Amino acid sequence: MKTDLFFYTGTGNSLWTARTVANELGNAELIPMLWATGNPIQSQADTIGIIFPVHIWGLPQQVITFVNSLAIDTSKYYFALAVNAGQVAATLLQLKKLMKSRGLFLSSGFDIFMPSNYIPWGGPGPEDKRMRRINDAKKKINKISSMIAEKERRPVEKGPLWQNILFSWFYKFSFPYIPTMDKSFWVDDKCNTCSICKKICPCGNIDLNAGKPIWLHHCEQCLACIQWCPKEAIQYGKRTPRYERYHHPEVTLEDIITISRKPSRSGKEEAILQNRKSST
Ligand SMILES: Cc1cc2nc3c(=O)[nH]c(=O)nc-3n(C[C@H](O)[C@H](O)[C@H](O)COP(=O)(O)O)c2cc1C
């Protein structure tokens, strides 16, 4: 079985999830969604994984764009991993519906519970609790990998009914405003003009003015800029100066910089495509 794992990530939880499942399955290639080229996007693999963070109880724009560009091939096995911080809600149902509208069948979809990167609501929580979530996620990935390898068909995982109804409404309501939610970002005087924020933004939404970031209002709210700023100089609203930053402990800034750029067929691209690092 050959598997292509298409992933999107802001702070590395989804990249780590993709690496971990690649390790379990073997013969799997990691491909950032941003790099997926071709119209439509073709794959030689017989199994396709779609791995992404849940944003505002639904699919991030980049995942929608990716699915809408995917070649229609009904002979493949499609599965998804929705990486979240405790409220997957109806995200996988949304994905299943979107895929169905394109003639694709999502055979399985799993909820992967990881630390939160949604800093406007607070930090990621105590380290022992974060590590417990990561270890539990690893156990779950180990368990579901055999279902994926067996190409099992099963209902996608979802939240309780009230959450699916209420939060799907919030998602629909807020989705059009996401690109301009970057109006709440600002930079404090710790900024040393290193320009890392511009390099890691996956949607080219950051420009520099005298070396400092300005946001261009086509944001996808992945929060990579605020979470990866080495000086913690980027803020969002009033409260983030006192909140701890988060990224997955086994994902590096270099990993994120590499995948945030469209490939140039360079050594770095090869490195990440071969990326089957252990998640130990
Ligand atoms: C804009 C935004 C919205 C989010 N909304 C949700 C949500 O609705 N439910 C949830 O459980 N987690 C939510 N999260 C948390 C992320 O899904 C979670 O931390 C995920 O593991 C981050 O993955 P990444 O590191 O690959 O970006 C949100 C995060 C962001 C940045």
Side-chain angles (χ1 to χ4, degrees), residues 9-14 53-54 56-57 83-87 115 117-118 221:
T9 191
T11 52
N13 286 348
S14 305
V54 172
I56 319 184
W57 305 287
V83 184
N84 68 89
Q87 291 184 337
N117 68 351
Y118 194 65
Q221 283 282 296

Side-chain angles (χ1 to χ4, degrees), residues 64-81:
I64 296 174
T65 307
F66 168 77
V67 171
N68 281 332
S69 314
L70 204 50
I72 298 161
D73 184 342
T74 52
S75 68
K76 295 188 195 300
Y77 175 81
Y78 297 89
F79 74 94
L81 304 179

